[in-house]
């Protein structure tokens, strides 16, 4: 059984993330969406547990699991028996950082490959920070996030919950 890990902060999950997760789930037997809590920034909108719940409500595939980890990504990959780390690449601006991460992870744990899936054209500008910015300024975020979670994001941005 081939397992892949899709790591990220997912604060909150966007349609760009969902696209990568679903495409990875088509390729691998099992995909773990890993919410990395060590990357939580002080200004995060949702807690790690909330982010996991928002992802669970947005992805309904039997071979996709959700987990969290606050250590070194390659330690999780090794312990879970995964063979690949799957990341989405939006533009050249992602490349430098992702390339550095991939080479570092390869030298720390050579058994795992990092695979990049190109973002869909319509998602290349889409990021969690952009969604938060648009929402805080009162814009329409519905084209960017799963329908089932847009109200949660609105409420949190307005400070209602
Ligand atoms: P962000 O960069 O928006 O904070 P994350 O750190 O949660 O997102 O990213 C997790 C993974 O999802 C990374 O591999 C990132 O490149 C990928 N990703 C983020 N946004 C998109 C998108 N719009 N399309 C495709 N992949 C994306």
């Amino acid at each position: 059984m081939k397992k892949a890990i899709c790591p990220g902060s997912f604060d909150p999950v966007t349609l760009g993330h969902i696209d990568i997760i679903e495409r990875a789930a088509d390729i691998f037997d099992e995909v773990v969406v890993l919410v990395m809590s060590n990357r939580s920034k002080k200004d995060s909108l949702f807690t790690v547990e909330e982010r996991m719940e928002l992802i669970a409500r947005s992805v309904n595939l039997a071979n996709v699991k959700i987990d969290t980890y606050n250590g070194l990504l390659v330690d999780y990959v090794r312990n879970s028996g995964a063979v690949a780390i799957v990341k989405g690449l939006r533009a050249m601006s992602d490349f430098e950082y992702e390339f550095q991460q991939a080479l570092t992870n390869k030298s720390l744990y050579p058994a795992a490959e990092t695979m990049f899936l190109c973002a869909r054209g319509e998602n290349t500008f889409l990021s969690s920070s952009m969604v938060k910015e648009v929402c805080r300024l009162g814009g329409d975020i519905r084209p960017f996030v799963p329908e089932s979670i847009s109200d949660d994001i609105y409420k949190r941005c307005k400070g209602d919950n």
Side-chain angles (χ1 to χ4, degrees):
M1 195 196 65
K2 300 241 188 247
K3 187 193 284 193
I5 310 296
C6 288
S9 14
F10 307 104
D11 182 42
V13 69
T14 68
L15 291 178
H17 295 130
I18 300 292
D19 176 53
I20 299 298
I21 295 163
E22 291 181 347
R23 285 160 63 193
D26 261 352
I27 301 170
F28 291 92
D29 299 307
E30 187 178 315
V31 168
V32 178
V33 182
L34 192 65
V35 181
M36 300 296 290
S37 53
N38 54 354
R39 296 208 321 204
S40 304
K41 296 164 197 128
K42 279 210 179 83
D43 64 343
S44 52
L45 192 61
F46 293 100
T47 66
V48 166
E49 292 69 27
E50 288 168 337
R51 288 181 233 167
M52 292 172 75
E53 199 270 321
L54 295 177
I55 298 168
R57 246 192 289 146
S58 310
V59 187
N60 195 11
L61 293 172
N63 65 337
V64 175
K65 310 268 183 290
I66 301 156
D67 201 359
T68 179
Y69 191 61
N70 69 0
L72 201 56
L73 174 60
V74 289
D75 288 339
Y76 184 94
V77 174
R78 185 190 290 112
N79 294 336
S80 66
V83 294
I85 299 162
V86 175
K87 313 258 357 229
L89 259 195
R90 281 164 289 193
M92 286 307 287
S93 50
D94 273 347
F95 182 77
E96 181 106 24
Y97 174 76
E98 293 293 352
F99 193 59
Q100 194 181 15
Q101 291 281 309
L103 292 182
T104 305
N105 288 336
K106 187 75 178 161
S107 71
L108 290 171
Y109 182 49
E113 295 293 349
T114 297
M115 288 176 54
F116 294 106
L117 299 180
C118 289
R120 279 182 201 283
E122 65 266 33
N123 292 337
T124 49
F125 63 93
L126 184 50
S127 68
S128 299
S129 10
M130 191 275 278
V131 167
K132 286 184 270 195
E133 189 69 10
V134 170
C135 194
R136 279 175 184 142
L137 296 171
D140 186 1
I141 58 163
R142 285 172 302 176
F144 312 130
V145 299
E147 204 184 333
S148 55
I149 70 167
S150 59
D151 279 351
D152 299 74
I153 304 172
Y154 276 125
K155 281 185 191 146
R156 182 57 55 90
C157 284
K158 282 204 303 184
D160 284 359
N161 69 350

